[in-house]
Amino acid sequence: METAEFVAILDREGRSLATAAEQAGTDAKVPTCPDWQVSDLLRHTGMVHRWAASFVAEGHTSYQPFGDPPDLDGAALLTWFREGHGRLVDTLTTASPDVRCWQFLPAPSPLAFWARRQAHETAVHRFDAESARGGTPTGIGPAFAADGIDELLLGFHARDRSKARTPEPRVLRVRATDADAVWTVRLSPEPPVARRGDAGPGEEADCEVAGPVAELNLALWNRLPFPAVTGDTSVADLWRAKSAV
């Protein structure tokens, strides 16, 4: 997917998040994040948006800490969120393609990284806001959902900080039933090693999770149960217990 596509998705998802949050009310509980109310969701995502925009706009080449969350609620908090989201979209839209700044996952460029990361960040939290509101959630396209799984498995969990580990080697297969997309994840005492494709010779899966790719993406982010699990279900249970990033 191209950077412009990610920015367009970020724009749409952020607007939908704000609408769902407004409909739910900032004091509503967020079922997918049991310790949060909608106000916490808005503060978190709004802080992330401002943090991300600062790297691109100010050219920071090293990690910068988050700022303090705002002491706002209700309509004022929603306005603050919308302002930060709009600023991020504008920053990514107008930035030079060769801007240099810090990033924490491999990507063709820093701009490509931040557009992709913030599109997926916002899409997952939009789902959180819709879970608080209730009703039918907004769908996402299979290409974007598959890219989200790529980012999570091949990016986030390739890092040393991943806790998705097993004492003995195990293989988890993730299979989309509505797209030509399969991932194989080798779990061990080391960080997971994931790749696109079925298990190879001598690498048969101990557990397979399968379902529509958009549902799998949310399930791997622990927002939904896995649509279907076959084989050793303890591997899927371990993922749910250890895969937070």
Side-chain angles (χ1 to χ4, degrees):
M1 296 179 65
E2 298 296 325
T3 297
E5 293 178 85
F6 287 121
V7 176
I9 291 170
L10 165 64
D11 188 15
R12 182 175 67 248
E13 293 288 345
R15 292 173 188 273
S16 296
L17 191 163
T19 297
E22 189 168 30
Q23 291 169 343
T26 56
D27 60 347
K29 295 289 187 183
V30 181
T32 48
C33 301
D35 295 332
W36 276 6
Q37 293 180 308
V38 168
S39 57
D40 300 304
L41 176 64
L42 289 169
R43 290 188 191 100
H44 167 79
T45 314
M47 291 292 295
V48 170
H49 285 171
R50 284 165 168 78
W51 179 73
S54 72
F55 286 102
V56 178
E58 300 169 24
H60 297 300
T61 56
S62 61
Y63 172 81
Q64 303 292 312
F66 285 85
D68 295 324
D71 186 17
L72 299 171
D73 204 347
L77 180 59
L78 280 157
T79 297
W80 174 85
F81 172 83
R82 287 182 166 116
E83 289 173 349
H85 169 252
R87 189 181 310 157
L88 174 61
V89 171
D90 290 345
T91 296
L92 295 173
T93 300
T94 60
S96 171
D98 60 359
V99 65
R100 292 289 172 258
C101 62
W102 181 79
Q103 63 191 74
F104 61 87
L105 294 177
S109 70
L111 183 61
F113 164 77
W114 284 111
R116 180 196 200 197
R117 174 81 291 275
Q118 291 309 300
H120 288 298
E121 174 88 9
T122 307
V124 170
H125 288 315
R126 181 269 301 162
F127 183 81
D128 293 331
E130 291 182 344
S131 76
R133 179 200 63 192
T136 303
T138 307
I140 62 173
F144 180 64
D147 184 80
I149 296 175
D150 277 343
E151 186 199 42
L152 180 63
L153 297 183
L154 282 66
F156 275 102
H157 284 289
R159 302 185 300 169
D160 287 341
R161 66 178 60 189
S162 175
K163 295 181 174 63
R165 307 184 187 210
T166 54
E168 301 295 331
R170 294 289 184 271
V171 176
L172 172 67
R173 179 185 292 126
V174 179
R175 185 182 299 279
T177 55
D178 61 345
D180 184 17
V182 182
W183 296 262
T184 297
V185 186
R186 289 191 285 115
L187 301 167
S188 74
E190 300 300 318
V193 177
R195 62 175 177 79
R196 279 280 194 127
D198 277 305
E203 196 184 39
E204 291 305 312
D206 298 287
C207 175
E208 178 170 303
V209 296
V213 67
E215 293 182 31
L216 285 176
N217 184 36
L218 289 165
L220 289 164
W221 279 104
N222 288 327
R223 263 48 184 199
L224 291 174
F226 288 117
V229 181
T230 55
D232 184 354
T233 59
S234 70
V235 178
D237 292 340
L238 179 138
W239 181 271
R240 301 197 71 82
K242 299 291 187 180
S243 64
V245 297

